[in-house]
Amino acid sequence: MTDSRIPTVRLGEDGPEVGVQGLGCMGMSFAYGPSDAGQSRATLERALELGVTLYDTADAYGAGENERFLSPFFKAHRDEVVVATKFALAIPPDDPTRRIIRNDPPYIRQAVEASLERLDIDVIDLYYMHRRDVNVPIEETVAVMADLVREGKVKHLGLSEVTGDELRAAQAVHPIAAVQSEWSLFSRDIEAGVVPAARELGVALVPYSPLGRGFLTGSFTNADTDLTDDDFRRQQPRFTGDNAAANAALLEPVRAVAEAHGATPGQIALAWAQQRAAVHGLPVVPIPGTRKPARVEENTAATRIVLTEDQLALLEPIADKVAGDRYADMTFTSAGREPNSQEG
């Protein structure tokens, strides 16, 4: 395994320069079953050694616990890392298991102060609106976010799971550095509206779950039987029951391409995601999540794999054959609001 650092790319026209692959940190304290804190800390350090500089969290991950967990690492490497966090998924006082979407100005101001305190930093490098509240004009939300930039609490703005038109409306208020959405061999709905808008506006794409929440690695085949009871993926339709069996069969071409490269299926899925930059003509920085140093080595090595046209053609049909939506409720995704999108 080479220790070559991954190359860098700029998020948006005036955004931060980051490694071409980031690290999704949610699973270190939330959603994917038990985790080992020591292993997670070692993963953060190894990622940085390999040139990963964009670290992604959110206030909703473990009700703030993920931000607290990451704080010592961020403080130790403050000048080397780009800290990305998010607001919008509020926890109702009467039910800590639920999340409600809030984009209203008072909540945004409350959320940013709470994140700054948990992270124990003076400024957030990239601040995302995590989900869209359709009852609040996006221009109003972004205007408050822009105020946070002017006040020195936030450096750059991002949006998550917005449509192409919502991105255009937001960009008219303040420059958006990045849009985060699910994008993988299994989930390509954003290519209908979001990707063209991002390319047009000079906005970077930050794909989350580029490994299909681990399914594309072959690490599990059915969430009902292979994952712990507290694993978030047991709630996602495409990973359970008949859908899981149908989707597991779709991995055969991924394995075939992996064998041709002497790589793992996960590396091929990541190489495909990285190659979207050349295919669509915009910066693309996937943020695969992992809690193991060896896995981050494997993931970053995928940035050096170039898939041939024939291999890309072999992988092309997969997304259209996927059984089940990526969430049980798709109304909270861009696909649920994008008029020209096929949900998936």
Side-chain angles (χ1 to χ4, degrees), residues 5-324:
R5 289 173 64 86
I6 61 175
T8 62
V9 68
R10 188 168 299 283
L11 297 181
E13 295 183 352
D14 300 308
E17 187 170 331
V18 299
V20 294
Q21 187 180 109
L23 182 63
C25 301
M26 178 177 78
M28 293 180 178
S29 53
F30 176 70
Y32 292 141
S35 62
D36 182 293
Q39 278 276 82
S40 293
R41 292 189 187 98
T43 300
L44 294 167
E45 296 288 350
R46 186 66 179 128
L48 187 59
E49 291 172 354
L50 293 168
V52 174
T53 55
L54 177 63
Y55 293 82
D56 186 87
T57 182
D59 59 3
Y61 298 162
E65 286 305 313
N66 197 238
E67 289 179 325
R68 291 188 186 95
F69 174 78
L70 295 168
S71 175
F73 171 74
F74 291 156
K75 289 179 69 177
H77 301 285
R78 191 64 191 96
D79 295 335
E80 303 169 82
V81 300
V82 172
V83 178
T85 192
K86 315 177 195 74
F87 73 89
L89 297 180
I91 302 173
D94 59 339
D95 186 356
T97 65
R98 286 182 57 229
R99 300 290 186 273
I100 56 174
I101 300 176
R102 290 189 60 180
N103 291 173
D104 55 286
Y107 180 76
I108 297 171
R109 291 197 165 276
Q110 171 189 330
V112 73
E113 296 296 344
S115 284
L116 286 167
E117 182 176 353
R118 285 189 294 263
L119 292 163
D120 197 15
I121 56 178
D122 295 327
V123 59
I124 294 166
D125 300 314
L126 179 59
Y127 199 41
Y128 286 100
M129 180 190 76
H130 203 162
R131 290 293 185 270
R132 168 98 166 91
D133 179 356
V134 296
N135 298 309
V136 179
I138 196 165
E139 296 88 347
E140 182 178 328
T141 299
V142 176
V144 178
M145 296 171 71
D147 286 342
L148 301 180
V149 175
R150 285 186 283 272
E151 293 164 13
K153 294 173 180 173
V154 170
K155 289 184 180 178
H156 306 285
L157 303 185
L159 304 170
S160 180
E161 290 286 0
V162 293
T163 68
D165 286 344
E166 289 166 351
L167 174 57
R168 291 185 180 93
Q171 180 80 3
V173 176
H174 188 277
I176 303 299
V179 168
Q180 186 175 129
S181 284
E182 188 164 354
W183 199 9
S184 73
L185 282 169
F186 267 25
S187 299
R188 298 181 59 178
D189 50 77
I190 67 167
E191 292 174 21
V194 184
V195 172
R199 181 179 62 243
E200 164 197 326
L201 299 170
V203 176
L205 249 296
V206 176
Y208 71 80
S209 299
L211 294 169
R213 300 192 184 277
F215 198 86
L216 285 162
T217 70
S219 61
F220 73 99
T221 57
N222 190 315
D224 288 332
T225 56
D226 299 346
L227 303 177
T228 57
D229 290 345
D230 58 348
D231 196 300
F232 166 71
R233 290 167 289 186
R234 290 171 66 98
Q235 304 169 26
Q236 296 186 294
R238 61 177 49 165
F239 302 138
T240 58
D242 292 341
N243 287 346
N247 292 335
L250 299 178
L251 298 182
E252 287 309 311
V254 183
R255 292 192 181 95
V257 175
E259 186 176 351
H261 282 273
T264 65
Q267 286 178 315
I268 297 307
L270 285 174
W272 180 90
Q274 300 280 176
Q275 225 157 313
R276 298 303 91 192
V279 171
H280 293 280
L282 78 171
V284 176
V285 181
I287 49 169
T290 186
R291 302 176 287 198
K292 297 178 180 178
R295 193 69 72 192
V296 85
E297 292 170 358
E298 176 184 327
N299 291 348
T300 53
T303 64
R304 298 186 286 276
I305 296 174
V306 179
L307 304 178
T308 68
E309 290 300 319
D310 286 346
Q311 289 167 345
L312 290 172
L314 187 65
L315 301 173
E316 183 66 22
I318 292 175
D320 287 338
K321 299 177 182 177
V322 172

